[in-house]
Amino acid sequence: MPELTVVDAAPLGVFGGTFDPVHLGHLRLAEEAADALGLVKVRWVPAGQPALRQTPKVSPAQRLEMVRLAIAGNPRFELDACEVEAAQPSYTVPTLERLRLPNTCGAARPIVLLVGADAFSGMVGWHRWTSLFDLAHVAVAHRPGFPIVAASLPPALADTYRERYSEDPGVLRAAPGGRIVSFAMTQLDISATKVRALLSQGLSTRYLVPDSSAAYIAAHQLYSEN
Ligand code: ATP
């Protein structure tokens, strides 16, 4: 994508996750973020080998394919396979550094990293997490069971939150990164953990997982206990 000046560059959303599997909570988060924050696109970045959690139940290539199927046909969504193809642990800061290269997003365009409220509170455990704000803004999606309250965040993150938080999503256009905003989304108490549990019991995940991904799961017999 050609490099633009900050003035005419709408922010690019970046949405990372394990997506094990992708579900409608993820899709609504990305769709509502695009509207609420005025994002030109949302770039989905499935993790290869997630650094901070157990090895996913299915292969990185299969998780990538389920996301590809889920976002197909949405002109605001695009897929970034780099973390999956890297075949090494996935870290957010190096991914953002890659996006900042001139031949991808460049230095000027605002980048907004989209995270759910649970992932945000765990950010202090991320590799080089403080460097993140040199590279991108962070937009925190409300998630059932995870209120966004400075007092309940780890101290280092609470300080960062107070210092960088704005109630005005307009700040996202004013600089390439460095601010934190939050946004309300349709509250969907769906998690990949719950989806995996249903599948392992042979129960329906209809209306929790997009049909295209569900068909892929069925065809490849993923997440079943057998
Ligand atoms: P798991 O249950 O396996 O931990 P998950 O459902 O949280 O998975 P991830 O792939 O870990 O899914 O999440 C990717 C991102 O999406 C994270 O930032 C997470 O906070 C966010 N997210 C996932 N589900 C929801 C939801 N229902 N509402 C809001 N945010 C969500």
Side-chain angles (χ1 to χ4, degrees):
M1 121 186 18
E3 193 166 342
L4 301 176
T5 60
V6 173
V7 169
D8 57 7
L12 171 72
V14 172
F15 187 31
T18 314
F19 306 124
D20 184 27
V22 62
H23 56 68
L24 297 185
H26 298 131
L27 287 155
R28 283 306 301 178
L29 184 156
E31 186 73 359
E32 295 190 31
D35 283 339
L37 309 176
L39 307 176
V40 62
K41 294 258 180 194
V42 175
R43 193 172 177 111
W44 292 62
V45 190
Q49 301 170 33
L52 297 176
R53 43 193 288 167
Q54 290 181 324
T55 306
K57 298 264 184 187
V58 305
S59 74
Q62 288 172 319
R63 289 184 290 103
L64 180 76
E65 186 57 22
M66 286 187 278
V67 173
R68 188 193 309 280
L69 291 166
I71 70 175
N74 187 328
R76 291 199 289 193
F77 291 170
E78 60 189 24
L79 188 60
D80 184 326
C82 280
E83 288 196 7
V84 167
E85 286 166 0
Q88 60 194 19
S90 300
Y91 297 109
T92 303
V93 168
T95 291
L96 293 172
E97 286 172 337
R98 176 175 54 72
L99 288 176
R100 282 294 178 207
L101 295 174
N103 61 347
T104 48
C105 187
R109 182 187 287 274
I111 292 179
V112 184
L113 183 70
L114 307 176
V115 293
D118 59 310
F120 179 65
S121 62
M123 195 176 267
V124 282
W126 294 8
H127 178 60
R128 294 172 54 207
W129 75 274
T130 51
S131 304
L132 203 145
F133 296 98
D134 299 332
L135 296 158
H137 302 291
V138 173
V140 188
H142 297 190
R143 185 170 188 182
F146 299 94
I148 310 166
V149 187
S152 63
L153 296 171
L157 184 59
D159 289 346
T160 301
Y161 181 72
R162 288 192 192 94
E163 186 189 322
R164 298 181 180 275
Y165 181 75
S166 173
E167 293 204 340
D168 175 14
V171 298
L172 301 177
R173 296 185 83 96
R179 303 302 300 266
I180 300 172
V181 300
S182 62
F183 63 101
M185 59 169 282
T186 305
Q187 294 293 274
L188 297 166
D189 190 10
I190 306 173
S191 67
T193 302
K194 188 181 284 186
V195 170
R196 291 194 301 273
L198 291 170
L199 290 166
S200 72
Q201 297 167 69
L203 299 175
S204 168
T205 60
R206 200 168 198 177
Y207 314 126
L208 297 176
V209 170
D211 290 345
S212 54
S213 310
Y216 184 91
I217 289 169
H220 293 82
Q221 298 181 308
L222 304 181
Y223 305 106
S224 65
E225 291 292 289
N226 310 317

